[in-house]
Amino acid sequence: MSVVDTLAEGLRLGGEMFWETWWALVLGFTIAGAVETFVSEERMSRVLGGSGLRELGLGTLFGAASSSCSFGAVATTKSLFKKGASPIASLAAFQFASTNLVIELGLVMWILLGWEFVLADYAAGLLLIVLLAAVFQYVVPEEWFAAARDHVQSTEGVRDPVCGMDVDPTSDDVVTLEADSGTEYFCSESCKRTYRDEREAGERQPSLATRQGWRLAAKNAVGEWKMLWTDIVAGFLVAGLIGAFVPRAWWTTLFDVGAQGSFTWVAASAIIGVTVGVVTFVCSVGNVPFAVILWSNGIAFGGVMSFIFADLIVPTITDAYRRYYGLRMAAVLFVGIFVTAVVSGIVIHYAWHGLELVPQPGEVGGTAPSGYTRYLNAAFTLVLLAQLYLMYGTSADEEAEGAHAH
């Protein structure tokens, strides 16, 4: 096969995977946009201050509902941590759940890999959160977290609490309001008025019963696409090209550490999976197509889980940890997530084998009704077009954007 033919085959493989998962992506981002609109960050931070099982569970629940790209999840976690959420509830539970236990990841995994992988993702993900919380509780000194919180507060800029725009508190144009929590800074009188009206009404979040609320939900859903579309497209493209160009013999050599089925082989697959995830990361959803390639070419079942869980320790994310929390906490997060991802992968491998839930080696997909893909894609394309209309096709949004312009 010529290079051109191989390239065409790679593009075909990537395109097929993208086609099969299109409706699931739209559905996942639609739900994520609604949750982001109607669930307040301030409310979450108020109930995540403790370090008990309740806060761990709520942090996991809020994270799974607050779907985001890895960079968005890290930024939201930083905000929660700064506002008083405990390390266990924010850095362990919320941050991991908001990238690895979200609905769009589960849907894409269900279509491309199978339902067994989806159940394993949630089970191993919950185990990882518990293990990481234990590390934070019993291994990392409390003083390190206090220093990390001080670092965040000393380096964090000032943001408009309504629209999230960065504002300069020393600027002559900045608008201020004295609130119970201190001085709030706004980009415009419109945001200040909105903030004051909502505070007086006792409701900081848009209502489910208003058109404006759903307009904002559509805006947030489209925002998810803006953040992730390049990573998602790159993920499918890279997976297709690797599937076409890289010989199976190369993968067999990479995963040929110890006898197949032995503990050495399983542990090596988990370690290699995390390492490959760190080196080749696209995003938590976009790397599922690559996971298909790994599974089809001999990695252990648990190694697939470990690979997917590596999205929060790639170099760019680790550098964000350094900037937010300091070098020491960045190292804690990197080592903690690396080790717990490996352990979780190994545990879920043996647990699923014991329950006879591991598919035949290399067997992927086939769990979604393929005959309905065309109709589901058409229906959810209309949903996306409706969201685009709500975002760009109404004068209300244009006026809102104009109010933020300077």
Side-chain angles (χ1 to χ4, degrees):
M1 184 181 292
S2 68
V3 173
V4 174
D5 290 338
T6 305
L7 177 62
E9 176 65 12
L11 294 175
R12 184 190 66 79
L13 289 173
E16 284 184 355
M17 286 189 285
F18 186 79
W19 167 257
E20 291 294 328
T21 58
W22 167 253
W23 67 269
L25 289 169
V26 177
L27 173 60
F29 290 150
T30 298
I31 295 174
V35 172
E36 184 180 351
T37 301
F38 301 117
V39 179
S40 150
E41 189 176 287
E42 287 77 8
R43 289 175 180 173
M44 286 192 290
S45 62
R46 283 199 298 268
V47 300
L48 297 180
S51 299
L53 291 177
R54 175 179 179 273
E55 288 77 15
L56 186 68
L58 288 174
T60 301
L61 181 63
F62 289 151
S66 303
S67 168
S68 183
C69 69
S70 300
F71 297 99
V74 169
T76 303
T77 301
K78 174 203 66 175
S79 180
L80 293 173
F81 181 67
K82 177 189 174 185
K83 292 177 180 179
S86 70
I88 286 176
S90 57
L91 295 172
F94 180 89
Q95 182 168 268
F96 182 82
S98 61
T99 61
N100 289 285
L101 300 182
V102 296
I103 186 171
E104 61 266 29
L105 178 66
L107 288 170
V108 172
M109 193 179 295
W110 170 56
I111 293 169
L112 294 182
L113 285 167
W115 63 268
E116 299 93 342
F117 285 88
V118 180
L119 292 181
D121 175 67
Y122 286 105
L126 292 174
L127 174 61
L128 186 149
I129 289 172
V130 171
L131 292 174
L132 194 58
V135 170
F136 289 171
Q137 183 75 22
Y138 300 110
V139 178
V140 182
E142 177 61 32
E143 295 77 16
W144 291 16
F145 290 115
R149 203 185 303 272
D150 290 340
H151 192 278
V152 171
Q153 293 171 344
S154 65
T155 57
E156 177 78 347
V158 178
R159 298 173 64 192
D160 185 317
V162 174
C163 68
M165 180 181 292
D166 291 328
V167 295
D168 180 1
T170 64
S171 171
D172 294 335
D173 296 328
V174 73
V175 179
T176 63
L177 176 68
E178 294 299 325
D180 294 338
S181 58
T183 303
E184 297 284 358
Y185 298 89
F186 304 90
C187 68
S188 66
E189 285 289 345
S190 174
C191 278
K192 175 182 176 179
R193 185 166 54 252
T194 300
Y195 179 88
R196 186 173 53 221
D197 291 346
E198 290 176 345
R199 294 289 289 187
E200 290 174 356
E203 178 60 64
R204 288 289 298 121
Q205 286 303 109
S207 170
L208 284 164
T210 64
R211 183 177 179 183
Q212 177 64 16
W214 287 106
R215 182 181 293 119
L216 290 173
K219 197 170 187 177
N220 286 328
V222 175
E224 293 285 334
W225 281 107
K226 286 184 175 180
M227 285 192 299
L228 286 172
W229 77 269
T230 54
D231 282 342
I232 291 172
V233 171
F236 285 106
L237 181 61
V238 168
L241 293 177
I242 288 177
F245 277 95
V246 179
R248 183 178 178 84
W250 189 91
W251 294 109
T252 302
T253 302
L254 179 64
F255 301 132
D256 189 22
V257 180
Q260 187 166 349
S262 68
F263 178 80
T264 301
W265 175 69
V266 175
S269 287
I271 294 170
I272 292 170
V274 176
T275 304
V276 172
V278 170
V279 174
T280 63
F281 166 77
V282 179
C283 74
S284 57
V285 176
N287 66 7
V288 174
F290 196 1
V292 175
I293 302 300
L294 297 179
W295 174 243
S296 299
N297 286 280
I299 196 172
F301 181 83
V304 175
M305 294 296 104
S306 297
F307 165 76
I308 290 172
F309 292 163
D311 63 328
L312 287 172
I313 52 173
V314 298
T316 49
I317 294 292
T318 302
D319 185 59
Y321 295 149
R322 179 192 61 80
R323 288 184 285 108
Y324 291 160
Y325 312 118
L327 182 60
R328 181 171 60 188
M329 188 52 58
V332 167
L333 289 167
F334 180 88
V335 174
I337 294 173
F338 192 107
V339 172
T340 54
V342 170
V343 173
S344 298
I346 294 172
V347 171
I348 203 66
H349 178 90
Y350 285 107
W352 254 230
H353 266 284
L355 295 171
E356 299 183 350
L357 290 177
V358 177
Q360 291 298 313
E363 180 181 300
V364 297
T367 56
S370 57
Y372 290 91
T373 299
R374 181 184 299 107
Y375 303 107
L376 289 169
N377 282 349
F380 280 96
T381 297
L382 293 177
V383 171
L384 179 60
L385 291 175
Q387 292 169 341
L388 290 171
Y389 172 76
L390 286 172
M391 182 174 177
Y392 295 111
T394 63
S395 59
D397 273 334
E398 294 172 359
E399 292 173 5
E401 292 177 37
H404 293 159
H406 292 287

